[in-house]
Every structure is written in C-alpha cells, then in structure tokens.
Amino acid sequence: MKLGGLFFSSLIGAVASARSMTPMASIAAARLLGHRMPGRLVLLDRPVFQLGALAMGAGELAGDKMKSAPDRTVFLGLLARVLSAGIAGAALAPRGREQAGAVTAVATAVPLAYATLAGRKRAMASIGQTRSGLIEDALIVAAGVAVVALAVKPTKPPRK
C-alpha cells in the first residue's frame, strides 16, 4: 500500500498537536537507526540535534505530568508545535514538496492542539493528570513512531 502526497506530513502534525517534541524525536530515532526521510531534513541529520531531539522528547513526557505544566495552547507551546511540526512535516513530505509538507503539518497541529487539550482536560477530570498524561503519552508516542516508520524509505540491505 503506497500512501503519497502530504498524508504523512498531516499525520505528524496531528502528533505535534498533543506532544510538540515527539515528531522530531521520532524522526531523530529513525535517523539514528539509519533510515532515510522522503524529504530533505533540516537539522536532524546532525547527531547533536538528533540526541537533542530525543532528550527534549523525553523531557516533555516527564514535564507534562507536573502540576505547573502550562497548557499546550499557550504561546510557547504553540510555537514549539509550529517549529516541530514544520520540521517533521517537511522531512516526511515527498522530495521537492518539503515546504508544502511543513505548511500542512503546521496547519494540522495548531487547530488540533485545542482539540487535544479539550480531550486531555476531560480525561484529567475523569482519571487525573498523571494517568491521563501517561495514556496520552503512550498513544501519541506510538502514533509518532508509526507515522515515521510508515513514511521512511527503507534502507537497502547489504548484498551478499
């Protein structure tokens, strides 16, 4: 099954709506494993940025459970989503369509940030901040990994 166009850019934007650093962390992990992205990478081809993206992704997962964690729709939260979705959306777009992929991912991430926040608030009222955060983490990290895994170009196995 071949899915082309900007489908994966849109999906990674949806991931960014709930966890701003997960898209870049998912791409960084794939690059560290040797996978190639369909589109040109911005920054995430360098090991220092790959490790930084992974660290920021892990930090966000931990910080989200704190009572003082701000809503994802505050200015800095939306800015982080715009940057992460843009970089990841470009990387997952077909070669030559990186700008459209970035725009698509951002256009998906920002409005969905409000929807995912509303869902999270309902879950927090029902099952608490930590439990709802852990469930959201599991779903969003799995979605980020799945989107990137489906979008990356397979590495060629060595010839024997």
Side-chain angles (χ1 to χ4, degrees):
M1 177 174 169
K2 182 173 166 75
L3 295 171
L6 302 174
F7 180 70
F8 294 115
S9 296
S10 182
L11 289 178
I12 207 68
V15 169
S17 75
R19 291 290 178 274
S20 62
M21 295 297 117
T22 298
M24 290 197 317
S26 299
I27 288 174
R31 287 297 298 138
L32 286 168
L33 292 172
H35 297 286
R36 296 180 308 137
M37 297 298 119
R40 192 174 67 81
L41 280 175
V42 176
L43 302 176
L44 289 175
D45 251 353
R46 294 180 169 78
V48 68
F49 288 107
Q50 292 168 347
L51 296 175
L54 290 172
M56 289 190 311
E60 180 182 35
L61 296 178
D64 179 62
K65 311 314 166 291
M66 297 170 55
K67 297 284 184 206
S68 62
D71 285 348
R72 61 192 73 178
T73 57
V74 301
F75 175 75
L76 289 177
L78 288 175
L79 179 61
R81 279 161 178 71
V82 166
L83 294 173
S84 178
I87 290 169
L92 298 182
R95 184 72 58 168
R97 299 205 52 212
E98 291 90 351
Q99 188 173 15
V103 169
T104 298
V106 170
T108 303
V110 172
L112 276 182
Y114 291 91
T116 58
L117 176 61
R120 174 72 186 278
K121 284 183 174 182
R122 282 194 298 279
M124 284 171 50
S126 200
I127 61 175
Q129 182 172 2
T130 302
R131 189 182 296 164
S132 65
L134 291 172
I135 292 168
E136 188 178 41
D137 286 348
L139 292 172
I140 296 305
V141 169
V145 169
V147 168
V148 172
L150 290 169
V152 297
K153 295 184 183 221
T155 55
K156 293 180 182 176
R159 293 186 177 206
K160 297 190 181 204

